[in-house]
Amino acid sequence: MAKQFQAVRGMNDLLPDKTSYWQYAESISRQVLGRYSYREIRFPLIESTDLFKRGIGDVTDVVEKEMYTFPDRNGDSLTLRPEGTAGCVRAALEHGLLHNQVQRLWYYGPMYRHERPQKGRYREFYQLGVEAYGMADSAIDAEIILLAGRLLSELGLADQVSLQINTLGSAQARLNYREQLINYFSKRKEALDEDSQRRLQSNPLRILDSKNPDMRAVIDEAPKMMDCLDDASKRHFDLLCQYLEAANQKFTINTTLVRGLDYYCLTVFEWVTDALGAQGTVCAGGRYDGLVELLGGKPTPAVGFACGLDRLILLMESVKKCQQEPDVFMILDADNTKRGLVLAEQLRVALPSLKIETNFGAASFKSQFKRAYKSGARWAIILENDKMTHSAVTVKDLQNDSEQEQVSIDKLVEWFQVSAALS
Ligand code: HAM
């Protein structure tokens, strides 16, 4: 037999059982983004390698170890996008979207990082990214955090996630803080693991992000960014906290939250969950006021986040949140196939929001009922020869396991309207 091929390690096929969750999450996301007046932007999966090196930072895990980089046929170095922010800024600049303008943008699609695959961490994964440009006030940081919170709650995940925020201060405050950290960790070098020793000079803030439990104590006692803030950075952060409190958004301040990409300044935040093991960050972002200038534009305030859809879906599966179940499962004996087909069409026309699955083929009623329960449908419509007068059908509420009811065909639309309104 010929060799069977397999998907590339860390890259997933999405089978029909799962795609319903994805479609649901994608459609709710679009609705929520529209309600906040964000508009979609699309840009290529491949960009020049230098864009990511410059944008994300040379001394980051993503650029150092994780990019899928290759020469194209002309010898130019190209990279599969490991994230969307750099490409979004590149596209917005290239098409003049950032000339003294306010922009609220979103994008969605696959990203690529050569990481060690495990649950919730893949080499091809999907991000929904949201970016706002041209607004320096922390009100937009708050709006963007609230938007992420709204999205998570509309997906039924509000109880599964919590919000952590921190500030990295202005570029100058961060430089001062960096010196303090180098000083502090240099005196405790023996307590650092190999990775952190390597980062000591190049990127000492990332040491704070280490997940190594042996370094917990030395990290907990390290100087805090909060104590090095200049007045403007402090005001920005205090205002953000006030805005979030005014909007009843719960949060905790996590002073060791630094994020893994170099472009951040001031606000950083993550929505995290305990339900996914080590890969608990479902949504993360912050302010990146220096990036537009770094990539060739005029200084432009910017803030955004990206949600990891793969992790959101794992979370939705764990709480069984998905609205793709049919509302009605139609059980038919073979003699009633045509009537069932036609009745389902009539109901779809009269009640466009009602999702109907019909069971075709000669299965016993017992196994059709099993399928109906398994489908998650709220109601079954049963068409069987001996009971059915052609002017009525039998309806059963599967979720409340109520008695079957005879409903006249003339009244069926009204029956579903009333029942759906009551449920
Ligand atoms: P990030 O923290 O690198 O930020 O990724 C954002 C989210 O993408 C993570 O919180 C996680 O949910 C998901 N994610 C990242 N890597 C993987 C992976 N290997 N497998 C599955 N999911 C993953 C960014 O990418 C920034 N561009 C976010 C941003 C936008 N900041 C400002 N604007």
Side-chain angles (χ1 to χ4, degrees):
M1 247 199 310
K3 172 187 165 204
Q4 253 194 320
F5 289 95
Q6 292 193 325
V8 175
R9 186 164 134 77
M11 309 214 177
N12 299 314
D13 300 311
L14 294 175
L15 304 181
D17 263 2
K18 298 254 163 139
T19 46
S20 54
Y21 282 95
W22 284 80
Q23 288 169 356
Y24 178 60
E26 288 160 3
S27 93
I28 295 285
S29 304
R30 286 199 170 85
Q31 283 170 28
V32 170
L33 288 157
R35 284 159 63 194
Y36 285 76
S37 278
Y38 282 71
R39 298 182 306 153
E40 186 180 6
I41 180 165
R42 299 187 188 189
F43 43 86
L45 264 65
I46 297 177
E47 301 273 357
S48 81
T49 303
D50 283 346
L51 173 72
F52 298 118
K53 282 192 172 171
R54 175 115 46 105
I56 297 171
D58 274 325
V59 197
T60 53
D61 281 352
V62 172
V63 170
E64 274 185 327
K65 311 186 204 159
E66 297 167 2
M67 295 206 302
Y68 281 89
T69 296
F70 57 95
D72 80 353
R73 288 175 187 276
N74 305 325
D76 298 330
S77 180
L78 301 181
T79 293
L80 282 178
R81 61 186 188 189
E83 60 103 51
T85 308
C88 185
V89 169
R90 198 270 310 137
L93 273 177
E94 189 168 333
H95 301 284
L97 301 191
L98 301 182
H99 269 307
N100 302 324
Q101 292 172 54
V102 162
Q103 292 287 354
R104 288 177 161 90
L105 305 175
W106 66 269
Y107 49 85
Y108 172 67
M111 309 287 159
Y112 299 86
R113 295 185 194 176
H114 197 275
E115 295 192 81
R116 199 165 43 78
Q118 60 173 201
K119 182 179 170 192
R121 187 168 68 196
Y122 310 110
R123 291 182 175 173
E124 181 184 70
F125 59 96
Y126 281 73
Q127 278 188 348
L128 171 71
V130 177
E131 317 284 1
Y133 298 101
M135 289 167 276
D137 194 293
S138 29
I140 188 67
D141 309 34
E143 178 184 276
I144 250 185
I145 288 173
L146 294 171
L147 189 167
R150 174 79 43 222
L151 176 63
L152 293 163
S153 76
E154 301 272 315
L155 290 173
L157 302 176
D159 295 340
Q160 319 296 313
V161 292
S162 60
L163 170 65
Q164 301 192 344
I165 63 172
N166 191 22
T167 179
L168 300 179
S170 63
Q172 186 54 49
R174 209 159 54 258
L175 270 183
N176 299 343
Y177 182 52
R178 199 186 125 90
E179 287 311 311
Q180 287 198 22
L181 279 184
I182 294 179
N183 209 354
Y184 170 84
F185 283 124
S186 298
K187 290 186 186 139
R188 292 158 185 82
K189 223 169 167 178
E190 68 296 342
L192 303 182
D193 60 19
E194 208 182 305
D195 237 15
S196 298
Q197 291 197 10
R198 200 172 47 80
R199 286 189 166 131
L200 187 53
Q201 295 299 330
S202 58
N203 202 346
L205 265 76
R206 281 309 305 277
I207 299 177
L208 300 177
D209 211 21
S210 165
K211 303 283 179 289
N212 183 346
D214 297 340
M215 287 173 42
R216 203 60 267 156
V218 74
I219 289 174
D220 282 348
E221 292 192 356
K224 305 276 177 283
M225 181 75 220
M226 285 302 169
D227 301 327
C228 305
L229 291 182
D230 53 284
D231 286 350
S233 307
K234 191 162 172 5
R235 215 169 29 250
H236 189 93
F237 190 65
D238 288 346
L239 256 181
L240 171 64
C241 295
Q242 287 171 29
Y243 289 143
L244 292 176
E245 275 158 11
N248 281 327
Q249 174 60 61
K250 291 204 181 77
F251 60 89
T252 47
I253 298 174
N254 173 359
T255 53
T256 63
L257 178 66
V258 293
R259 312 273 303 119
L261 314 164
D262 272 2
Y263 46 62
Y264 292 111
C265 61
L266 297 168
T267 310
V268 285
F269 61 91
E270 292 189 353
W271 289 88
V272 293
T273 177
D274 292 333
L276 296 181
Q279 303 309 318
T281 307
V282 292
C283 194
R287 189 165 269 282
Y288 53 98
D289 292 345
L291 184 63
V292 175
E293 194 180 8
L294 192 67
L295 296 180
K298 291 209 183 110
T300 305
V303 56
F305 70 84
C307 256
L309 260 284
D310 305 77
R311 294 183 192 174
L312 276 193
I313 305 291
L314 284 175
L315 208 49
M316 286 163 67
E317 283 172 343
S318 74
V319 291
K320 303 252 175 312
K321 283 283 188 268
C322 177
Q323 296 290 300
Q324 295 293 305
E325 301 91 10
D327 299 302
V328 174
F329 190 97
M330 200 177 275
I331 294 176
L332 309 164
D333 61 16
D335 295 343
N336 280 295
T337 303
K338 199 198 295 168
R339 280 191 58 77
L341 183 79
V342 172
L343 179 60
E345 279 308 289
Q346 288 166 342
L347 286 175
R348 288 186 187 110
V349 171
L351 300 166
S353 63
L354 200 71
K355 291 188 235 89
I356 306 169
E357 179 172 338
T358 40
N359 191 85
F360 297 133
S364 70
F365 272 100
K366 194 169 160 213
S367 72
Q368 291 197 57
F369 262 108
K370 263 198 198 149
R371 278 183 212 163
Y373 279 109
K374 195 162 166 240
S375 76
R378 171 70 196 275
W379 297 286
I381 293 181
I382 304 131
L383 304 187
E384 69 189 302
N385 250 356
D386 46 349
K387 284 207 191 122
M388 197 190 73
T389 69
H390 276 204
S391 58
V393 295
T394 307
V395 182
K396 181 174 168 67
D397 185 333
L398 296 171
Q399 278 170 25
N400 296 321
D401 241 347
S402 60
E403 288 295 307
Q404 299 189 355
E405 260 184 77
Q406 292 289 309
V407 181
S408 117
I409 295 268
D410 305 342
K411 295 270 160 42
L412 199 54
V413 168
E414 199 184 321
W415 188 93
F416 277 115
Q417 279 165 336
V418 172
S419 305
L422 291 179
S423 62

